[in-house]
Amino acid sequence: VQLQASGGGLVQPGGSLRLSCAASGNIGSINAMGWYRQTPGKTRELVAVITSGDSTNYADSVKGRFTISRDNAKNTVYLQMNNLKPEDTAVYYCNANLFNSRYLRTMDYWGKGTQVTVSS
């Protein structure tokens, strides 16, 4: 199973970015997909997560500004980030909790991070 993330970049404060993450490989079913972020010297923190039932959960710091969604047919999760702030600067990582159809067990997978920089 691989997770391919894209969409990071440099944006000015108040701007928007959209991150995408597509899962591929031996996927039986996906329980949840989400986004985490990490800055140097800090632990990785949850940004947003969406379950197979479309329940969502957001970090307090991004509520009202970020929206997570998914396309089940494409095994893809999106993170729409609006009104970005300098403190949103971080490496963003995609995560998927899914049933691996080859190993027949539920596993966690991580994508390579994508840098988001919010600066004027």
Side-chain angles (χ1 to χ4, degrees):
V1 173
Q2 290 186 330
L3 301 182
Q4 182 66 48
S6 61
L10 172 65
V11 64
Q12 292 186 343
S16 297
L17 282 175
R18 189 191 194 208
L19 304 183
S20 301
C21 176
S24 62
N26 299 309
I27 300 170
S29 61
I30 298 178
N31 299 317
M33 296 186 76
W35 293 93
Y36 292 70
R37 66 187 181 187
Q38 188 171 22
T39 56
K42 294 189 176 181
T43 57
R44 193 172 296 184
E45 64 173 3
L46 173 71
V47 176
V49 63
I50 184 167
T51 70
S52 59
D54 285 336
S55 295
T56 58
N57 189 37
Y58 295 91
D60 288 342
S61 60
V62 307
K63 285 180 180 177
R65 300 187 297 121
F66 291 10
T67 302
I68 190 169
S69 61
R70 61 190 285 177
D71 184 333
N72 292 331
K74 296 181 179 180
N75 291 330
T76 299
V77 65
Y78 306 96
L79 185 68
Q80 179 65 44
M81 305 185 292
N82 298 328
N83 190 22
L84 282 159
K85 303 176 180 181
E87 51 263 41
D88 294 317
T89 296
V91 178
Y92 284 70
Y93 295 90
C94 174
N95 170 268
N97 179 271
L98 58 87
F99 184 80
N100 187 305
S101 58
R102 176 179 182 183
Y103 299 116
L104 300 180
R105 62 188 179 111
T106 298
M107 301 173 70
D108 263 325
Y109 292 90
W110 292 91
K112 294 181 180 179
T114 183
Q115 178 71 46
V116 172
T117 302
V118 185
S119 175
S120 56

